[in-house]
Amino acid sequence: MKIPTTLMALLAVATQPAHALIDGKVDSNTASSPFAGVGSVVVNGGAFSGTLIGGQYVLTAAHVVAGASLSNISFRINDGANVTLKASSVSIFSGYTGTRAGSDGVWHDDLAIIKLAGPAASSVPFYSLYTGSVSGKALTFVGYGAGGDGKNGVTTASSQTVKRSGRNVVDKLYRDDDGGSASEVFQYDFDGPLLLNLNGRLSDEVHFAGGDSGAAALIYDGGKWKIAGVGTYVGSGNGKNLDRYGAFGGGMVVGAYASWINSVISGTSGAKAGTIAPVPEADTWAMMLAGLGLVGYLARRRKS
């Protein structure tokens, strides 16, 4: 998601389906949907993803908005009313240095908060932060990425109005690259139907694709949906076929950044709109490919 941000499209196989925002289920885009608070972040005309974490605040990936003019950033709420709200400011996490992978093969700190010019309607849900462990947890991904399936890859372009959802399991966590102990990046594998059957994995497994940059990784906790992560990248062992079975993806663990997020919403962070790097074109996979394709491959070679 651009880090590649394509959503999974539903894929039918002889045994059981595998889903990904490549392979994902299309949301109804109604006010009654539990995912009505996940909207489309529109930047320079391109469609990405973001999640309401307050009536006037949207959590997304930093690479989605970094370098963009405020006048070219908006948030479309697809809840039947289809309201679009302009951005009034953007706060980018201070540690974000772009989509350059570190020694662990992934990039970190890829988070931004958009303050909207006005609040969303009270009928639109927003999501509190999940601060528990996500290790081994099944997360529900919701985003506006492209559609397709794990065998053929992306077959349908991303759209500002088409929202998909599906699940995947957190297989790996990366700790703070600045020396802290917090797990701040999550990663999952996009398994094919055979592995799904052998390992008893999820039948609705999905994978990020172009447009899923900033996608919500939600968890149902305490009787309500909470946001546990933000989608930011995809990769593969050889840097190819990033939208097929055998690829992997991941993003930022929200709990590791909870203090910063809360400080921005409360107005105590002193954060200002950031200009860090140009925004990738909507039809590229730069977000995932730059850091996780070749770099992920080289990291694995070093280990072997």
Side-chain angles (χ1 to χ4, degrees):
M1 328 168 170
K2 93 160 315 157
I3 293 173
T5 58
T6 325
L7 253 34
M8 40 233 114
L10 185 60
L11 168 67
V13 257
T15 50
Q16 51 181 313
H19 306 260
L21 295 176
I22 281 184
D23 279 357
K25 178 181 179 181
V26 176
D27 187 74
S28 60
N29 278 346
T30 62
S32 62
S33 168
F35 310 132
V38 181
S40 176
V41 175
V42 182
V43 181
N44 297 331
F48 306 101
S49 306
T51 306
L52 280 169
I53 53 172
Q56 208 165 340
Y57 293 91
V58 174
L59 185 63
T60 189
H63 73 262
V64 167
V65 293
S69 169
L70 280 178
S71 62
N72 291 327
I73 301 173
S74 59
F75 184 65
R76 179 184 171 113
I77 303 171
N78 292 299
D79 66 340
N82 301 328
V83 172
T84 298
L85 298 171
K86 300 292 291 184
S88 64
S89 67
V90 173
S91 299
I92 293 175
F93 186 75
S94 60
Y96 176 68
T97 56
T99 54
R100 295 191 297 273
S103 60
D104 56 6
V106 298
W107 59 81
H108 296 245
D109 304 334
D110 191 357
L111 284 180
I113 296 174
I114 302 168
K115 183 177 182 181
L116 303 174
S122 59
S123 59
V124 180
F126 61 85
Y127 306 87
S128 58
L129 309 183
Y130 178 77
T131 57
S133 172
V134 298
S135 178
K137 297 288 181 64
L139 302 180
T140 295
F141 299 152
V142 185
Y144 289 79
D149 62 65
K151 180 180 179 180
N152 300 301
V154 171
T155 58
T156 306
S158 60
S159 167
Q160 297 177 16
T161 61
V162 179
K163 174 168 49 183
R164 296 180 174 88
S165 66
R167 297 186 300 160
N168 209 318
V169 173
V170 174
D171 295 297
K172 186 173 183 179
L173 293 169
Y174 296 87
R175 291 194 174 185
D176 185 354
D177 60 336
D178 297 315
S181 60
S183 296
E184 58 184 26
V185 178
F186 73 88
Q187 187 166 298
Y188 64 83
D189 297 327
F190 185 34
D191 299 316
L194 179 60
L195 285 178
L196 286 173
N197 288 332
L198 291 177
N199 298 338
R201 301 299 292 278
L202 302 174
S203 62
D204 58 346
E205 185 166 294
V206 295
H207 179 46
F208 291 137
D212 288 325
S213 289
L218 302 173
I219 192 166
Y220 197 70
D221 177 66
K224 59 183 178 180
W225 288 101
K226 298 180 181 179
I227 183 165
V230 172
T232 59
Y233 70 85
V234 295
S236 67
N238 60 7
K240 300 178 181 179
N241 298 324
L242 300 181
D243 56 350
R244 311 292 174 91
Y245 291 133
F248 56 88
M252 304 300 107
V253 177
V254 163
Y257 299 91
S259 295
W260 172 74
I261 293 169
N262 288 325
S263 70
V264 172
I265 293 176
S266 66
T268 61
S269 69
K272 297 180 180 179
T275 300
I276 303 224
V279 179
E281 294 298 323
D283 60 349
T284 71
W285 288 71
M287 170 173 107
M288 307 182 197
L289 189 117
L292 279 201
L294 181 59
V295 174
Y297 170 62
L298 292 177
R300 293 185 183 188
R301 285 190 62 188
R302 282 198 298 269
K303 288 181 179 180
S304 64

